[in-house]
Amino acid sequence: MGALLETKFTTETRRTQRHKTVLALLFILFAGMAIGCAISMVAQRNPLYGAISLIGVFISLACLYVTLAAPFIAAVQVIVYAGAIMVLVVFVIMLLNVEEEEWPTRMRSLVPIAVLLAAVLFAEAAFIIYFVQASPATPTRNISDVGLTSSIGAGLFTTYLLPFEITSILLLMAVVGAMTLARTGGLLPPRAVVVPGHQVLAKDVLDPRAVNDSEPIHARSTAEVEKILGIEGAPHVTDEDL
Amino acid sequence: MTPQLSWYLALSAVLFTIGVVGVLSKRNVISMFMCIELMLNAVNLTFVAFSSFFRDVSGQLFVFIVMTVAAAEAAVGLGIIIAIFRNRESLDVDDASTLRL
Amino acid sequence: MDDLTQVGFKLAGILVAFTVVMTMVAYTVLAERRVLGFIQGRLGPNRVGPGGFLQPLADLLKFIFKEDIVPDKSTRFVYFLAPVIATTAALMTIVVYPFGPEIHLPIINKTIPLVVTRFDVALLYVLGVTSVGVYGIALAGWSSNNKYSLMGGLRSSAQMISYELALGLGLIGVILQSGTLDLYSIVEQQAGHLGVTGWNLIWAQPLGFLIYLIAAIAETNRVPFDLPEAETELVAGFHTEYSAMKFALFFLAEYANMFTVSMLATTLFLGGWNGPFVHQLPWLGVFYFLGKVILFLFLYIWLRGTLPRFRFDQLMNFGWKFLVPLAIINIFLTATLQWSGALDYVSKFLKTSVGWGG
């Protein structure tokens, strides 16, 4: 919303001064929440607490998007990330009963070095941001409608139609992939033994007395099977009887 | 003073760094996955900040597509994690270091 | 208007809306017991106060003074967080519902619309907040350290996220017709002749209304979709281990969810505060709105007294294999009829103010 501020006052009135302070305070509040929840997520050993902290990060980022005049993206962030993806993650954590991690005991001496390197990474990013600071051009209109649903819809269906269609195919792939991974049974029953060129029958399929005996019977005719099973002379059932 | 663009970029850098630290230091594969989502969100914040300060809607459209891709990745990734868990009975990434069971 | 005055008005609006909703939720509980009694051929509670209308107060006192039992091995933080999430998510949505048209306040001499806030992604906000409400149930089931709670919590969350999809898809028809996500504008566009003929239910979205109604009943875990919390199946489902005030919060959250969903149905399909003579007497709008909401609540209670419940696999089958394809067919039909101009033809007779597509 800093970008939407009216620029027609040459001298700052008290009202715009108050606006700016409130916007800065809001930014500090939501940014602090986001960083706090992110650090909490990395520091937590229990993955469910990490998931709850990550939901906190997503919601504070959604609030930041609202202050950046992107209400549609904020709502989609809450619906998709906090409301769907994290529900999936929480389900998986609950179903698999994931336990807490212990502190890494092997390489504990390396943790200070890791923190130092993380600080170096952040210092690099800050360096780049500070020295490449190009100020954006003065906006031509005061109130912009960039973040509204209508402009996103217009862009999505005209200029960016190809990524949109490709994304829909990607989602179809994801649905098919998830269903395939979730399928437990195959096409054959689990006890079947496939011997190429022969009859595919296990003993306990043919003979109800042989419980759990999945030894395959290699035979080329019914008479051979009868001899192996020891049931010669049993009455044959034909299609007319059934 | 109003929040500048560099403030948002700095916040995004911090979140991304925290995500990288998490991915490298966690042993639980679901926690690593969550840190990857955090990195994706940091990048989303950069896109939305640029889109707002430069009055261009392309940033937000790209964020939309990134979210969709992240959702697809979450679905398939968690399916793979469950399949690995069924076979190895453990969610520790160090235990999954060989191709055989 | 000055900033501080605006903030003051919004806070006052939140307070008034909160009071109205909480009072109506409390009396919905009483109404449910009385109406269920009537359907089942018995009297409901009628001792406390004339006709039993002080019963909610008695229930509140009971909940406050009951002993708060916390299971020993439960995860403390999550156990306390779950009812908070459920209740917050249920109540956060009332800020976007338009309770009435613009009214003129006599003392302060201002004209304000009777909605706490208007912004242009209000419908998505409602969907987002109800998505977050799923966590209250899932975390409650998990943190109670009780296998019935866990089963009930997981089943309930799975049901809720499945029917959220059908709910969202069913609403797209209305959005296509109105061209906006702002609930106040959608209500304004439903002002037909005499305030009655413009309702979206009648000429625009009959199928969408049906889909939304079924998905909403499943979303709020009510009969016939209440297997995860039925007493005969899973003890009490995810809130087995909760007692006293925390159970009261879950109870409140369920009825507030019912109320919220009824308000959304009224706003989108039944014309919100529209009705006969509402422009001459704006205060009538509030009564029309609340009257329609009460109609929906009565429908909920009636269904509870009448229908048996679904088995869980039947429930999931119904949601994914019947309701979602039906909602997609509804979107196609609506889009085709709108693009071909058939709906414009009908709306000329039924509506006075037209929206973007109608």
Side-chain angles (χ1 to χ4, degrees):
Chain A
M1 221 177 275
L4 298 183
L5 204 54
E6 294 160 2
T7 53
K8 61 182 177 199
F9 295 108
T10 49
T11 62
E12 283 188 354
T13 60
R14 278 249 292 272
R15 190 172 165 206
T16 51
Q17 185 69 28
R18 204 163 49 212
H19 270 170
K20 289 182 179 179
T21 323
V22 166
L23 286 170
L25 280 177
L26 278 179
F27 173 80
I28 293 176
L29 171 70
F30 293 131
M33 253 170 66
I35 296 180
C37 287
I39 295 181
S40 153
M41 184 193 81
V42 170
Q44 290 285 352
R45 288 174 294 157
N46 191 344
L48 192 71
Y49 289 156
I52 297 176
S53 313
L54 194 62
I55 295 169
V57 172
F58 290 155
I59 292 182
S60 31
L61 280 182
C63 301
L64 273 176
Y65 292 160
V66 171
T67 60
L68 279 171
F72 183 77
I73 297 289
V76 170
Q77 160 106 351
V78 171
I79 294 177
V80 169
Y81 266 115
I85 296 181
M86 289 315 290
V87 169
L88 200 56
V89 171
V90 164
F91 260 44
V92 168
I93 293 176
M94 288 183 189
L95 280 174
L96 300 185
N97 202 13
V98 182
E99 282 146 13
E100 291 195 7
E101 282 184 20
E102 308 96 26
W103 280 118
T105 50
R106 297 171 302 176
M107 297 192 283
R108 203 184 273 200
S109 55
L110 291 180
V111 167
I113 304 181
V115 173
L116 179 68
L117 288 176
V120 167
L121 183 62
F122 173 62
E124 284 179 8
F127 176 84
I128 294 177
I129 292 172
Y130 182 70
F131 278 108
V132 188
Q133 221 180 32
S135 59
T138 319
T140 50
R141 282 175 308 163
N142 288 331
I143 308 296
S144 87
D145 58 352
V146 161
L148 296 183
T149 319
S150 49
S151 57
I152 291 187
L156 201 60
F157 288 110
T158 52
T159 325
Y160 289 87
L161 184 61
L162 184 63
F164 178 69
E165 298 289 342
I166 295 179
T167 310
S168 67
I169 297 183
L170 177 76
L171 282 175
L172 181 67
M173 280 163 41
V175 168
V176 171
M179 285 178 64
T180 313
L181 283 169
R183 179 198 290 269
T184 47
L187 294 169
L188 288 174
R191 304 163 306 173
V193 176
V194 179
V195 179
H198 289 71
Q199 289 291 323
V200 185
L201 287 171
K203 238 186 195 162
D204 56 354
V205 171
L206 285 174
D207 187 4
R209 295 165 297 177
V211 180
N212 281 334
D213 185 2
S214 58
E215 189 189 309
I217 298 182
H218 306 228
R220 283 194 201 92
S221 69
T222 319
E224 276 192 56
V225 173
E226 283 180 345
K227 207 185 302 184
I228 294 175
L229 282 181
I231 48 171
E232 287 132 325
H236 285 188
V237 175
T238 61
D239 278 329
E240 277 128 27
D241 301 352
L242 290 170
Chain B
M1 49 178 311
T2 58
Q4 304 293 319
L5 177 61
S6 51
W7 294 17
Y8 287 100
L9 296 183
L11 172 65
S12 169
V14 168
L15 286 177
F16 191 84
T17 315
I18 295 175
V20 169
V21 167
V23 167
L24 294 175
S25 70
K26 294 273 182 189
R27 279 170 48 194
N28 195 344
V29 67
I30 293 186
S31 303
M32 288 172 64
F33 175 75
M34 293 196 294
C35 297
I36 293 176
E37 292 294 327
L38 182 62
M39 298 201 296
L40 279 174
N41 269 284
V43 171
N44 277 352
L45 178 65
T46 310
F47 271 118
V48 175
F50 273 119
S51 148
S52 167
F53 279 89
F54 285 99
R55 305 290 174 94
D56 190 2
V57 81
S58 323
Q60 296 184 21
L61 288 173
F62 205 72
V63 165
F64 195 73
I65 296 185
V66 167
M67 279 185 197
T68 317
V69 170
E73 163 213 342
V76 177
L78 288 170
I80 294 179
I81 289 174
I82 295 182
I84 292 181
F85 182 79
R86 267 197 222 133
N87 278 326
R88 293 174 198 265
E89 296 291 328
S90 155
L91 277 174
D92 196 339
V93 199
D94 292 334
D95 285 348
S97 57
T98 61
L99 279 177
R100 311 170 54 98
L101 282 171
Chain C
M1 210 188 290
D2 190 22
D3 288 339
L4 288 178
T5 322
Q6 247 185 357
V7 171
F9 264 117
K10 298 270 194 275
L11 283 177
I14 292 177
L15 204 59
V16 167
F18 181 71
T19 313
V20 167
V21 169
M22 295 293 272
T23 316
M24 287 195 69
V25 164
Y27 280 95
T28 306
V29 179
L30 174 66
E32 168 156 8
R33 293 167 75 177
R34 293 301 299 261
V35 171
L36 270 183
F38 180 69
I39 293 177
Q40 294 167 355
R42 58 178 171 88
L43 297 171
N46 60 353
R47 296 283 172 179
V48 189
F53 95 101
L54 285 180
Q55 181 72 30
L57 195 61
D59 280 337
L60 178 68
L61 285 175
K62 174 191 79 167
F63 279 129
I64 292 179
F65 287 119
K66 228 173 178 178
E67 177 188 358
D68 199 15
I69 306 174
V70 176
D72 188 28
K73 298 266 189 329
S74 63
T75 328
R76 280 301 177 83
F77 173 65
V78 179
Y79 183 79
F80 284 107
L81 186 66
V84 171
I85 295 180
T87 316
T88 311
L91 290 174
M92 262 174 75
T93 52
I94 62 179
V95 297
V96 293
Y97 292 121
F99 284 87
E102 298 218 348
I103 57 166
H104 183 83
L105 293 174
I107 309 173
I108 335 174
N109 211 23
K110 290 209 191 309
T111 311
I112 52 165
L114 279 179
V115 57
V116 178
T117 174
R118 285 176 77 155
F119 54 98
D120 59 0
V121 288
L123 196 53
L124 281 186
Y125 166 79
V126 170
L127 285 179
V129 170
T130 48
S131 304
V132 173
V134 173
Y135 286 112
I137 295 178
L139 293 176
W142 183 82
S143 70
S144 304
N145 199 29
N146 174 357
K147 57 179 172 294
Y148 297 112
S149 297
L150 181 65
M151 284 281 298
L154 284 178
R155 278 188 180 177
S156 187
S157 329
Q159 169 189 329
M160 282 175 86
I161 61 176
S162 311
Y163 282 87
E164 245 164 42
L165 187 60
L167 194 97
L169 284 177
L171 292 178
I172 292 185
V174 176
I175 302 173
L176 273 177
Q177 304 246 298
S178 311
T180 171
L181 288 167
D182 182 14
L183 290 175
Y184 195 83
S185 312
I186 295 180
V187 170
E188 271 179 337
Q189 287 170 17
Q190 291 181 58
H193 301 288
L194 255 194
V196 170
T197 53
W199 293 0
N200 271 342
L201 162 64
I202 299 171
W203 67 280
Q205 289 290 311
L207 185 58
F209 174 68
L210 221 53
I211 295 170
Y212 173 79
L213 194 65
I214 298 176
I217 298 177
E219 188 63 22
T220 50
N221 281 332
R222 292 281 294 181
V223 176
F225 298 103
D226 74 337
L227 187 76
E229 60 177 39
E231 279 93 354
T232 51
E233 307 287 336
L234 278 170
V235 192
F238 61 92
H239 52 73
T240 310
E241 298 279 349
Y242 283 87
S243 64
M245 210 52 208
K246 299 201 259 305
F247 174 73
L249 282 178
F250 271 123
F251 206 59
L252 176 75
E254 173 174 338
Y255 283 89
N257 255 333
M258 236 168 80
F259 200 76
T260 301
V261 149
S262 306
M263 282 202 283
L264 192 62
T266 312
T267 306
L268 293 173
F269 293 101
L270 244 57
W273 42 256
N274 280 312
F277 309 119
V278 80
H279 289 289
Q280 287 85 350
L281 293 169
W283 283 99
L284 267 186
V286 181
F287 288 105
Y288 286 138
F289 181 78
L290 291 178
K292 293 171 195 171
V293 172
I294 291 176
L295 190 71
F296 269 105
L297 291 173
F298 176 70
L299 183 69
Y300 265 103
I301 300 171
W302 187 4
L303 284 175
R304 180 174 177 172
T306 316
L307 294 175
R309 60 173 64 99
F310 273 99
R311 212 174 56 222
F312 191 67
D313 59 322
Q314 289 172 337
L315 202 156
M316 297 298 269
N317 252 343
F318 184 71
W320 285 103
K321 293 190 191 169
F322 178 71
L323 218 53
V324 169
L326 195 64
I328 296 179
I329 290 175
N330 179 36
I331 297 174
F332 274 131
L333 266 174
T334 310
T336 314
L337 285 177
Q338 182 164 310
W339 172 72
S340 68
L343 287 174
D344 296 349
Y345 187 67
V346 177
S347 76
K348 265 203 281 276
F349 296 104
L350 291 177
K351 278 190 165 181
T352 52
S353 72
V354 290
W356 170 72

